[in-house]
Amino acid sequence: MRSAVAVVTTVAASAALAGCGGSGGSTASDSDQKVIRLGQTTHLSGPAGAFGKSFSEGQQAVFKAVNDAGGVNGRKIELTVLDDGLDVARAVQNVRTLIGKKSVAIVGVSGAGSIEAMVPILNQAKIPLLFPSKSTASFANKVVPYAFAGIPAYPDQAHAVVGAAFKKSGPGSVFLVQTASDQSKANLARVKKAVADGGGTLAGEVIVPFGADVSPFALRVAKQRTDYVLFTSGPSETTKVVQHLAKENRLPRRGILGLTTLPGDTFAQGTPTSAQRLVYTLAATKPPTDPSAKECKDALAKYYPDTKPDYVTTFGCMDAQMVVAGLKAAGDDVTGPGIVKALESLKESQASPLIPPVSFSSTSHVGLTSLPVVTVKDGEFVSAGTVPVPVGS
């Protein structure tokens, strides 16, 4: 089912997120005021609907707060949200619809296939794609004029976290656990390089199908008993493998490593106490419990009081704060080309308190070259500094 609601963030977005129908255009109440029209296609339904809903609510809470404070340079943000159910064809149709609604940018898209399909369409229309929740190497590691990534692609993250772990706890043997994805081969290549550069060894790799029984894969990991296990797999599969290793007393000796896909309640609350001290993972933002998340939590409590602050809503909030920073920098030229020019001018900008400063240029459209790193204590993620993540090195 498609849901389409114009969210001037003084108008509730909950209708779209609840799957109710509505008008995708501007409402009568905002027809006479200047607005900044943004579009979003995301999965509000289907197996991953909970993620899409929470991420979008985190974004919209920020946009609502900005609007209530007077908007961006005097203009209110209008966000049209369309559900694609993580279906590529629907996402492409949604993007064409949003272009027709004169959106100046598309924000918060999810799903690698959808991103890959819409980037050339948006590039041709000169409408920027801003900070999708998943970075793909096709534009994170090269400049596509109208596509900007907030966080580095997963292969670069995998390379970085291995290097940081070796620096922190010494080189050693690494076992790589993945779920099947378009970036699995690139992840493996970057991990091999990081291990070799750091003086370690790659002991093996398993690829766990989504939703599969993890037992046979966990047995292979347990048999090796390496110094580190790096998970690029989803939180559910990762949690089950770690639980198995803990039960068999075969946890890695030095570290359980992860990418920005790992932090979340599923992993933090499902990780046995014996494994928590080993966790060392990259994160898209600082934890929701960190003082830097107060602004996001306050906005969420005001506009979405029934939604629990977690890593997904905090990620969405950070994403929206980056969008607002770009819109502010654009000044009166809130057009596709104007937003691109404004973003490329940002240097060491503290766009969000949840992340390190961001920088863009005409030769790099990835905002972050370092990421927060977190550990787990008493079932919650806690900040443990930042890790450099060079792009495509």
Side-chain angles (χ1 to χ4, degrees), residues 13-226:
S14 57
L17 297 175
C20 300
S23 169
S26 299
T27 63
S29 62
D30 67 54
S31 60
D32 295 326
Q33 63 179 312
K34 290 182 177 180
V35 297
I36 300 172
R37 292 186 175 86
L38 303 177
Q40 180 178 94
T41 176
T42 191
H43 48 290
L44 305 176
S45 60
F51 178 95
K53 177 177 180 292
S54 295
F55 187 89
S56 188
E57 286 180 341
Q59 287 182 306
Q60 293 181 52
V62 171
F63 293 150
K64 285 173 180 266
V66 168
N67 280 355
D68 284 353
V72 178
N73 301 325
R75 299 184 183 189
K76 298 295 180 71
I77 296 171
E78 175 186 303
L79 177 66
T80 299
V81 182
L82 301 180
D83 178 23
D84 58 39
L86 212 57
D87 179 81
V88 174
R90 287 172 64 188
V92 168
Q93 181 56 49
N94 286 349
V95 163
R96 297 190 188 281
T97 298
L98 294 167
I99 291 173
K101 291 182 180 296
K102 299 182 180 180
S103 300
V104 297
I106 305 300
V107 301
V109 176
S110 229
S114 299
I115 294 168
E116 296 286 348
M118 68 180 66
V119 163
I121 297 170
L122 293 171
N123 205 50
Q124 184 176 11
K126 297 185 177 181
I127 295 174
L129 172 63
L130 302 183
F131 323 129
S133 59
K134 180 175 181 179
S135 292
T136 63
S138 64
F139 74 88
N141 289 352
K142 67 178 182 180
V143 174
V144 176
Y146 284 84
F148 289 81
I151 59 176
Y154 298 145
D156 291 328
Q157 293 184 33
H159 181 274
V161 75
V162 170
F166 280 12
K167 184 176 181 180
K168 173 178 176 285
S169 303
S173 55
V174 179
F175 202 103
L176 175 61
V177 179
Q178 307 204 68
T179 39
S181 79
D182 60 310
Q183 299 189 59
S184 296
K185 290 183 179 179
N187 288 339
L188 176 60
R190 298 289 279 143
V191 170
K192 284 181 176 179
K193 186 176 189 307
V195 170
D197 289 348
T201 57
L202 183 63
E205 177 204 21
V206 294
I207 297 180
V208 184
F210 283 106
D213 177 8
V214 305
S215 300
F217 304 98
L219 285 171
R220 288 178 58 187
V221 181
K223 184 178 180 180
Q224 293 291 329
R225 187 70 192 284
T226 52

Side-chain angles (χ1 to χ4, degrees), residues 276-295:
Q276 291 183 13
R277 64 179 180 81
L278 295 169
V279 175
Y280 187 75
T281 179
L282 301 181
T285 72
K286 295 176 184 177
T289 53
D290 192 86
S292 62
K294 183 180 185 304
E295 182 180 330

